[in-house]
Amino acid sequence: MTLATSIVPADPQRDAPALQRWLADPHAAFWGMGDLDVGAVRDYLSDVTADPHQQAWLGLVDGVPTFFAETYDPAQVLLRDIHDPLPGDLGMHVLIAPPEGAPRHGLTDAVFAAVMTWCFDELGAQRVVVEPDARNDRIRRKNLRAGFTELRFVSVDDGDHTKTAVLSVCTRDDYARSELAAVAALALARTGIPA
């Protein structure tokens, strides 16, 4: 199955209600924001979009809002004094909406591949940096499939809570050689669209 994905800047007014529902779902527990109401999510999005060192993005699949992504400068946000930054480093978070109805096979792979491609091709990243909660085995496995290398355990304080995270990095070449990139390329090849 091929899914048409697009990514646009998030709008706090427009997107807070949907994002609040997604964050309240148990699958988003590692975001630690499940108890926020719509107003608090709107304030959070407003803070992110106003900060010159971070960006918030709404992702659409087949024209329907389906995921949320954040990108940030890891030398300025969240990983300051934790990460040894290189030029072109870009921090990234992604949250996929809980399924409505039957799960769509391949959705998380398609979304993750779209976000990685966006980071490299549209935002000019040379290396994507992530810091998933060390207990989040599902996203850690997805990161490894996307070409990330886990560097070390770190303590990350986001202002509301501290987590033990796994600092991980992925270069453009790492991603290009990854299992996830191969799956995405195969899906595009089936449609006749050049990768």
Side-chain angles (χ1 to χ4, degrees), residues 101-187:
R104 297 173 75 179
H105 178 71
L107 176 66
T108 58
D109 280 356
V111 165
F112 207 90
V115 172
M116 292 296 288
T117 300
W118 175 262
C119 288
F120 289 122
D121 293 351
E122 299 300 323
L123 302 182
Q126 295 303 308
R127 190 169 69 159
V128 176
V129 181
V130 295
E131 24 58 48
D133 190 296
R135 301 166 297 168
N136 192 343
D137 293 331
R138 291 181 72 186
I139 194 63
R140 288 177 64 187
R141 284 193 303 271
K142 185 72 71 179
N143 288 343
L144 292 173
R145 288 186 60 232
F148 280 89
T149 298
E150 293 186 339
L151 300 179
R152 65 184 183 276
F153 291 96
V154 295
S155 180
V156 176
D157 182 355
D158 69 2
D160 293 324
H161 69 288
T162 301
K163 70 177 180 181
T164 299
V166 184
L167 183 64
S168 307
V169 297
C170 181
T171 67
R172 182 184 295 270
D173 288 342
D174 293 336
Y175 175 66
R177 290 190 302 266
S178 74
E179 176 187 347
L180 195 68
V183 168
L186 181 60

Side-chain angles (χ1 to χ4, degrees), residues 15 44 51-52 60 71 77 97 127 166 172 175 177 187:
D15 301 328
Y44 171 80
D51 186 332
L60 300 102
T71 53
V77 177
R127 190 169 69 159
V166 184
R172 182 184 295 270
Y175 175 66
R177 290 190 302 266

